[in-house]
Amino acid sequence: MKEQVEIFYKEYGKLTEKESEKFKELINKLINVNYLTAYKEEDKKDYYFIGNHLECFTSYFSIGGWELLHFPNQRTLVLQSLFIPKITLNKTSSIILLILRFLYTKKLHDISLDNQINVTISEIQEKYEQLAISSSERLKIGEISEGLRLLKKYNIINFKGLDFYNDDFVLTIYPTIQYAVGISDINTITDKINSYIGKEENNEEVEEN
């Protein structure tokens, strides 16, 4: 702990007044969103600012019991804590997150990491209906939109507009989903989705690496 304090004060002392204000702003942003990626255009400058002062950020968070993980190949930052609960999702949002993880994993094999992975509302519904064929449950647009809004808040996905009733409504899945859901095997993801279908409503924590 003492070592981390010394590193922080040393690195923080190198910041200009303007940079120190940016540092404070991004500390709060990371705590609020947990995930940050340069694939999100609005966050690109923030991602690189943190990367350029990574030791300052990691030492600061370490003092408070947080761990800031940097995955440069995916241009992604993940903030996690041993003391604060992970993101809590209801059953429907958990299913949507897992379906998005399934679609992301499947499409990842067909593109390079520099390309965006996009899916439509109809793809989410179709995947659910394939798995829930023996269930009377159906995903309602209101439930889907609620789950998507929450995942957008945490920089797991992004979309423009609110036309959720349009089957061709497009959303982008960010690489951060790999760290929100540590499972990468498609069959395991499918089994996990099936375990939720028909299950009673219950708040779940996002599974992380």
Side-chain angles (χ1 to χ4, degrees):
M1 177 66 74
K2 183 180 177 182
E3 182 184 353
Q4 291 302 313
V5 171
E6 289 174 351
I7 291 172
F8 170 68
Y9 278 110
K10 177 185 174 185
E11 294 301 318
Y12 187 77
K14 296 177 183 177
L15 301 180
T16 65
E17 185 176 344
K18 186 177 180 181
E19 287 172 337
S20 66
E21 288 302 312
K22 187 67 176 176
F23 175 84
K24 293 172 191 174
E25 175 192 324
L26 292 180
I27 286 292
N28 285 284
K29 181 172 184 173
L30 282 166
I31 290 172
N32 284 327
V33 302
N34 299 119
Y35 303 94
L36 196 146
T37 176
Y39 286 94
K40 184 177 181 180
E41 193 61 37
E42 307 95 292
D43 288 345
K44 189 177 288 186
K45 288 182 180 179
D46 292 344
Y47 169 83
Y48 286 112
F49 180 90
I50 295 169
N52 289 335
H53 304 282
L54 192 60
E55 235 184 340
C56 191
F57 281 91
T58 53
S59 58
Y60 176 88
F61 280 119
S62 178
I63 294 166
W66 296 78
E67 186 177 17
L68 181 62
L69 305 174
H70 183 212
F71 302 95
N73 289 341
Q74 283 75 40
R75 291 188 281 174
T76 294
L77 291 157
V78 177
L79 182 66
Q80 56 187 24
S81 171
L82 298 174
F83 307 106
I84 297 177
K86 299 173 184 178
I87 303 168
T88 302
L89 303 176
N90 61 27
K91 186 184 82 168
T92 302
S93 295
S94 297
I95 290 172
I96 291 169
L97 176 61
L98 287 165
I99 288 174
L100 290 171
R101 182 63 165 110
F102 177 95
L103 295 172
Y104 179 90
T105 301
K106 228 178 161 190
K107 294 192 176 196
L108 191 61
H109 298 299
D110 301 325
I111 68 166
S112 72
L113 272 176
D114 290 330
N115 292 329
Q116 289 187 335
I117 293 183
N118 296 322
V119 299
T120 62
I121 289 287
S122 62
E123 286 181 282
I124 295 171
Q125 289 177 311
E126 284 168 14
K127 186 59 193 172
Y128 181 85
E129 287 168 8
Q130 285 174 12
L131 296 171
I133 195 165
S134 61
S135 171
S136 60
E137 286 188 58
R138 289 295 178 267
L139 282 181
K140 296 173 183 169
I141 292 297
E143 294 175 317
I144 295 175
S145 65
E146 182 183 345
L148 294 180
R149 287 170 195 261
L150 181 60
L151 297 177
K152 180 181 180 180
K153 175 186 173 185
Y154 289 104
N155 289 327
I156 306 298
I157 61 171
N158 200 11
F159 51 81
K160 293 181 180 179
L162 299 170
D163 191 12
F164 297 110
Y165 284 91
N166 180 355
D167 285 347
D168 295 324
F169 182 78
V170 176
L171 54 116
T172 299
I173 310 176
Y174 290 134
T176 47
I177 199 167
Q178 298 175 79
Y179 309 103
V181 181
I183 309 167
S184 59
D185 178 71
I186 282 180
N187 292 328
T188 306
I189 297 169
T190 302
D191 290 342
K192 186 78 172 172
I193 297 170
N194 280 322
S195 74
Y196 279 107
I197 296 174
K199 184 180 178 182
E200 289 185 11
E201 183 63 54
N202 188 27
N203 287 341
E204 300 285 343
E205 289 183 348
V206 170
E207 182 179 348
E208 298 178 354
N209 282 334

